[in-house]
Short mmCIF file of all heavy atoms in Angstrom, two decimals:
data_model
loop_
_atom_site.label_atom_id
_atom_site.label_comp_id
_atom_site.label_asym_id
_atom_site.label_seq_id
_atom_site.Cartn_x
_atom_site.Cartn_y
_atom_site.Cartn_z
N ILE Q 10 285.28 98.00 210.72
CA ILE Q 10 284.65 98.58 209.60
C ILE Q 10 283.08 98.37 209.64
O ILE Q 10 282.32 99.30 209.35
CB ILE Q 10 285.16 97.93 208.27
CG1 ILE Q 10 286.65 98.33 208.08
CG2 ILE Q 10 284.32 98.31 207.05
CD1 ILE Q 10 287.37 97.55 206.94
N ALA Q 11 282.66 97.27 210.14
CA ALA Q 11 281.22 96.98 210.29
C ALA Q 11 280.63 97.92 211.25
O ALA Q 11 279.51 98.40 211.11
CB ALA Q 11 281.03 95.57 210.69
N GLU Q 12 281.34 98.17 212.39
CA GLU Q 12 280.86 99.15 213.40
C GLU Q 12 280.77 100.57 212.80
O GLU Q 12 279.84 101.29 213.06
CB GLU Q 12 281.74 99.15 214.63
CG GLU Q 12 281.58 97.83 215.41
CD GLU Q 12 282.68 97.70 216.52
OE1 GLU Q 12 283.40 98.64 216.68
OE2 GLU Q 12 282.67 96.66 217.17
N LEU Q 13 281.79 100.97 212.06
CA LEU Q 13 281.80 102.28 211.44
C LEU Q 13 280.62 102.47 210.45
O LEU Q 13 280.00 103.55 210.33
CB LEU Q 13 283.11 102.54 210.72
CG LEU Q 13 284.29 102.73 211.62
CD1 LEU Q 13 285.63 102.87 210.70
CD2 LEU Q 13 284.20 103.97 212.46
N ALA Q 14 280.32 101.37 209.70
CA ALA Q 14 279.25 101.39 208.69
C ALA Q 14 277.88 101.11 209.34
O ALA Q 14 276.90 101.12 208.61
CB ALA Q 14 279.57 100.42 207.58
N ASP Q 15 277.87 100.82 210.57
CA ASP Q 15 276.63 100.48 211.34
C ASP Q 15 275.97 99.25 210.65
O ASP Q 15 274.78 99.24 210.38
CB ASP Q 15 275.67 101.63 211.39
CG ASP Q 15 274.60 101.46 212.38
OD1 ASP Q 15 274.78 100.67 213.37
OD2 ASP Q 15 273.49 102.08 212.24
N VAL Q 16 276.82 98.24 210.37
CA VAL Q 16 276.37 96.96 209.78
C VAL Q 16 276.52 95.90 210.85
O VAL Q 16 277.64 95.69 211.39
CB VAL Q 16 277.13 96.62 208.56
CG1 VAL Q 16 276.73 95.26 208.02
CG2 VAL Q 16 276.94 97.70 207.45
N GLY Q 17 275.49 95.15 211.16
CA GLY Q 17 275.58 94.14 212.17
C GLY Q 17 276.12 92.85 211.58
O GLY Q 17 275.53 92.27 210.67
N ILE Q 18 277.30 92.40 212.08
CA ILE Q 18 277.85 91.13 211.66
C ILE Q 18 278.00 90.29 212.89
O ILE Q 18 278.69 90.72 213.87
CB ILE Q 18 279.22 91.36 210.98
CG1 ILE Q 18 279.05 92.15 209.71
CG2 ILE Q 18 279.85 89.98 210.66
CD1 ILE Q 18 280.34 92.42 208.97
N SER Q 19 277.40 89.10 212.91
CA SER Q 19 277.52 88.25 214.04
C SER Q 19 278.91 87.58 214.08
O SER Q 19 279.64 87.55 213.04
CB SER Q 19 276.47 87.15 214.02
OG SER Q 19 276.74 86.26 212.97
N SER Q 20 279.29 87.08 215.24
CA SER Q 20 280.60 86.45 215.40
C SER Q 20 280.79 85.19 214.48
O SER Q 20 281.81 84.93 214.05
CB SER Q 20 280.86 86.10 216.85
OG SER Q 20 279.87 85.21 217.30
N GLY Q 21 279.56 84.56 214.19
CA GLY Q 21 279.61 83.44 213.35
C GLY Q 21 279.86 83.75 211.87
O GLY Q 21 280.32 83.02 211.05
N GLU Q 22 279.47 85.03 211.49
CA GLU Q 22 279.62 85.50 210.09
C GLU Q 22 280.98 86.18 209.88
O GLU Q 22 281.34 86.39 208.72
CB GLU Q 22 278.55 86.49 209.72
CG GLU Q 22 277.12 85.94 209.76
CD GLU Q 22 276.10 87.01 209.61
OE1 GLU Q 22 276.16 88.11 210.24
OE2 GLU Q 22 275.11 86.79 208.80
N LEU Q 23 281.63 86.55 210.94
CA LEU Q 23 282.85 87.35 210.89
C LEU Q 23 283.92 86.67 210.03
O LEU Q 23 284.59 87.37 209.20
CB LEU Q 23 283.37 87.61 212.26
CG LEU Q 23 284.41 88.68 212.41
CD1 LEU Q 23 283.96 90.06 211.82
CD2 LEU Q 23 284.80 88.93 213.84
N GLY Q 24 284.12 85.41 210.17
CA GLY Q 24 285.17 84.73 209.46
C GLY Q 24 284.89 84.68 207.95
O GLY Q 24 285.76 84.89 207.08
N THR Q 25 283.61 84.45 207.58
CA THR Q 25 283.20 84.43 206.15
C THR Q 25 283.30 85.79 205.59
O THR Q 25 283.90 85.96 204.46
CB THR Q 25 281.70 83.98 206.07
OG1 THR Q 25 281.54 82.75 206.69
CG2 THR Q 25 281.27 83.97 204.59
N PHE Q 26 282.92 86.85 206.29
CA PHE Q 26 283.03 88.25 205.76
C PHE Q 26 284.57 88.59 205.60
O PHE Q 26 284.93 89.24 204.57
CB PHE Q 26 282.41 89.28 206.67
CG PHE Q 26 280.95 89.39 206.33
CD1 PHE Q 26 279.95 88.70 207.06
CD2 PHE Q 26 280.56 90.27 205.33
CE1 PHE Q 26 278.65 88.82 206.80
CE2 PHE Q 26 279.19 90.42 205.08
CZ PHE Q 26 278.28 89.74 205.83
N THR Q 27 285.42 88.15 206.54
CA THR Q 27 286.82 88.49 206.44
C THR Q 27 287.42 87.79 205.20
O THR Q 27 288.13 88.44 204.47
CB THR Q 27 287.52 88.01 207.74
OG1 THR Q 27 286.94 88.66 208.84
CG2 THR Q 27 289.01 88.39 207.68
N HIS Q 28 287.06 86.54 204.98
CA HIS Q 28 287.61 85.82 203.86
C HIS Q 28 287.10 86.45 202.52
O HIS Q 28 287.93 86.72 201.57
CB HIS Q 28 287.09 84.37 203.86
CG HIS Q 28 287.47 83.55 202.69
ND1 HIS Q 28 288.83 83.17 202.44
CD2 HIS Q 28 286.77 83.10 201.68
CE1 HIS Q 28 288.85 82.49 201.38
NE2 HIS Q 28 287.64 82.43 200.84
N GLN Q 29 285.83 86.82 202.46
CA GLN Q 29 285.33 87.46 201.23
C GLN Q 29 285.94 88.88 200.99
O GLN Q 29 286.23 89.27 199.92
CB GLN Q 29 283.79 87.61 201.36
CG GLN Q 29 283.07 86.26 201.28
CD GLN Q 29 281.55 86.40 201.60
OE1 GLN Q 29 281.15 87.41 202.13
NE2 GLN Q 29 280.81 85.33 201.21
N PHE Q 30 286.10 89.57 202.08
CA PHE Q 30 286.74 90.94 201.99
C PHE Q 30 288.18 90.82 201.41
O PHE Q 30 288.55 91.60 200.56
CB PHE Q 30 286.73 91.56 203.41
CG PHE Q 30 286.86 93.02 203.40
CD1 PHE Q 30 285.73 93.82 203.55
CD2 PHE Q 30 288.06 93.69 203.31
CE1 PHE Q 30 285.79 95.17 203.52
CE2 PHE Q 30 288.18 95.02 203.37
CZ PHE Q 30 287.08 95.81 203.49
N ASN Q 31 288.91 89.85 201.91
CA ASN Q 31 290.33 89.64 201.42
C ASN Q 31 290.31 89.20 199.98
O ASN Q 31 291.19 89.59 199.25
CB ASN Q 31 291.04 88.70 202.35
CG ASN Q 31 291.51 89.28 203.60
OD1 ASN Q 31 292.12 90.40 203.59
ND2 ASN Q 31 291.26 88.65 204.72
N GLU Q 32 289.33 88.35 199.57
CA GLU Q 32 289.30 88.01 198.12
C GLU Q 32 289.00 89.16 197.23
O GLU Q 32 289.62 89.28 196.21
CB GLU Q 32 288.14 86.92 197.96
CG GLU Q 32 288.53 85.55 198.43
CD GLU Q 32 287.46 84.49 198.13
OE1 GLU Q 32 286.28 84.88 197.94
OE2 GLU Q 32 287.76 83.32 198.09
N ILE Q 33 288.15 90.02 197.72
CA ILE Q 33 287.85 91.25 196.94
C ILE Q 33 289.08 92.12 196.82
O ILE Q 33 289.43 92.63 195.73
CB ILE Q 33 286.70 92.08 197.55
CG1 ILE Q 33 285.42 91.24 197.42
CG2 ILE Q 33 286.57 93.46 196.93
CD1 ILE Q 33 284.23 91.83 198.28
#
Side-chain angles (χ1 to χ4, degrees):
I10 293 168
E12 289 170 4
L13 291 174
D15 196 22
V16 175
I18 297 178
S19 69
S20 58
E22 297 172 316
L23 193 58
T25 303
F26 273 95
T27 303
H28 177 73
Q29 291 172 343
F30 202 96
N31 282 312
E32 283 183 339
I33 292 168

